[in-house]
Amino acid sequence: MAYEVAAPKYVRLAQTLQGRIEDGTYPPGSRVPSENQLVQAFGMSRPTVVRALELLKRDGWLESRQGYGTIVRGRPEVIERKNQRGREALERDESAAPGRLIEVGQVPVPPRVASYLGVPKRTKVLVRRLLVEEDGEPVELSSSYFPAGLAEGTDLADSTPLAEGLRAHLEARKKVRFDHVTERVSARMPSDEEADLLALPKGEPVLSVLVVACDVSGQALQVTDVLLPADRQELEDTYRLG
C-alpha cells in the first residue's frame, strides 16, 4: 500500500514564500523578510527558516547580497519551461519514449486524483506508469489515471506501449475532445517505491506536476502525476490545447 507523505516544514515554508513571489507580494529586486521576522511570522525554528531560504536560493528564486540581505530574483528559467511537462504527458508517444512502462492496470485511486476525476475514494481507476530515462538515468516518473469507464473500448489497459499520445488515442477511440489543462506544481516527499525508481537519496523531496486534462465542460478525462527529481515549487497554470 502506498502512502502520501507530507512535505517537511522547510519545504512547506519554501512553497509559501515562493507563492508570495509569484503573486507579487515579494516582487523581483525586493528584499524578503529577515530570518528573525520569518521565525516570528511563521512560528518556525531558525534552522527550518534557513533551510527554506537555502532551497529557494538553490532553485533560483532568491539570492544573497552582502550587506543588503536576501533578494528576490523572480521566476527561474526552469519554471518558464514547466508547461512542456503537461503537454508531454498528453502527447508523448510511449513506443518512442526513452524509458519503459512499469505498470498498467487497475489501482485504488489516490485521494487527490479522486477529487479531480470526480470519483469516490477507493474507486478503482486505470493507471499507466511510465519511467522516463536519459542516458540510462531516471529523470521522470509519469503516472496517468483514467476513469475505468473511459478506458473501455481503448488500448489503455494494454501493457504494450502506445504508438501515439494518450490524448490522441482517447480522442480517436472515445470521440472525446480535450479542451484545456490545469497544472498544479508542488513539492512533496516521494514514497519509498518512487524514491527507488527515481534513484533519489533518502529524504530528498520531488517536484510533482499534477496535470488535469479536461473537456470543454470541465470534466477531467485524465489526471497525470509527473514526478521530477529536481525543483521544489508551487505553481498553477491553465492553458488551452490547440
Side-chain angles (χ1 to χ4, degrees), residues 5 31 38 42 52 56 73 75 87 98 112-113 136-138 141 149 153 157 162 168 186-187 209 211 217-218:
V5 182
R31 199 164 40 171
L38 291 173
F42 291 96
L56 291 170
R73 295 182 61 186
R75 175 179 286 202
R87 188 170 294 275
R112 66 174 181 163
V113 173
E137 296 293 330
L141 179 60
L162 293 177
S186 61
V209 183
V211 182
S217 72

Side-chain angles (χ1 to χ4, degrees), residues 4 31 49 54 82 93 119 206:
E4 292 196 0
R31 199 164 40 171
V49 169
E54 288 302 318
K82 174 188 64 65
D93 179 344
V119 299
V206 291

Side-chain angles (χ1 to χ4, degrees), residues 166-185:
L166 298 172
R167 172 192 175 189
H169 186 76
L170 272 174
E171 288 186 334
R173 294 295 185 92
K174 301 296 288 189
K175 306 304 179 185
V176 295
R177 181 178 179 274
F178 286 67
D179 181 74
H180 61 275
V181 165
T182 295
E183 294 183 4
R184 292 173 172 84
V185 185

Side-chain angles (χ1 to χ4, degrees), residues 1-240:
M1 180 181 295
Y3 296 91
E4 292 196 0
V5 182
K9 287 184 179 180
Y10 78 93
V11 174
R12 298 200 298 272
L13 177 57
Q15 290 174 337
T16 299
L17 296 177
Q18 180 262 309
R20 294 185 180 185
I21 296 171
E22 285 287 300
D23 67 18
T25 302
Y26 304 147
S30 67
R31 199 164 40 171
V32 299
S34 68
E35 292 178 8
N36 285 337
Q37 290 172 323
L38 291 173
V39 166
Q40 294 176 3
F42 291 96
M44 294 184 177
S45 67
R46 183 177 298 276
T48 296
V49 169
V50 170
R51 256 189 114 176
L53 294 175
E54 288 302 318
L55 187 60
L56 291 170
K57 292 174 187 176
R58 187 193 70 184
D59 290 339
W61 292 94
L62 304 174
E63 66 176 333
S64 294
R65 290 185 187 173
Q66 189 171 3
Y68 196 69
T70 302
I71 307 302
V72 176
R73 295 182 61 186
R75 175 179 286 202
E77 181 181 354
V78 66
I79 300 304
E80 299 292 351
R81 299 195 300 268
K82 174 188 64 65
N83 282 352
Q84 298 175 10
R85 298 294 182 178
R87 188 170 294 275
E88 286 174 4
L90 298 175
E91 301 181 355
R92 178 188 286 124
D93 179 344
E94 291 178 340
S95 64
R100 54 193 171 90
L101 273 175
I102 60 174
E103 182 180 3
V104 178
Q106 299 278 335
V107 298
V109 62
R112 66 174 181 163
V113 173
S115 64
Y116 293 118
L117 286 180
V119 299
K121 293 180 180 179
R122 295 183 293 276
T123 297
K124 289 290 187 73
V125 295
L126 179 71
V127 66
R128 294 182 70 86
R129 185 164 288 128
L130 180 72
L131 182 66
V132 181
E133 300 173 332
E134 289 182 2
D135 300 322
E137 296 293 330
V139 295
E140 175 186 324
L141 179 60
S142 178
S143 302
S144 295
Y145 300 90
F146 308 88
L150 185 64
E152 292 178 0
T154 73
D155 293 335
L156 293 178
D158 194 323
S159 59
T160 303
L162 293 177
E164 60 183 338
L166 298 172
R167 172 192 175 189
H169 186 76
L170 272 174
E171 288 186 334
R173 294 295 185 92
K174 301 296 288 189
K175 306 304 179 185
V176 295
R177 181 178 179 274
F178 286 67
D179 181 74
H180 61 275
V181 165
T182 295
E183 294 183 4
R184 292 173 172 84
V185 185
S186 61
R188 69 173 175 85
M189 297 302 295
S191 67
D192 289 343
E193 179 188 19
E194 291 166 344
D196 287 342
L197 288 169
L198 289 170
L200 293 173
K202 186 176 181 180
E204 181 71 15
V206 291
L207 176 70
S208 168
V209 183
L210 195 69
V211 182
V212 184
C214 302
D215 62 17
V216 68
S217 72
Q219 173 61 49
L221 303 173
Q222 171 183 339
V223 176
T224 300
D225 190 10
V226 180
L227 295 186
L228 307 169
D231 312 308
R232 322 285 189 259
Q233 321 299 338
E234 176 68 40
L235 303 171
E236 178 172 331
D237 284 321
T238 298
Y239 56 86
R240 303 192 70 83

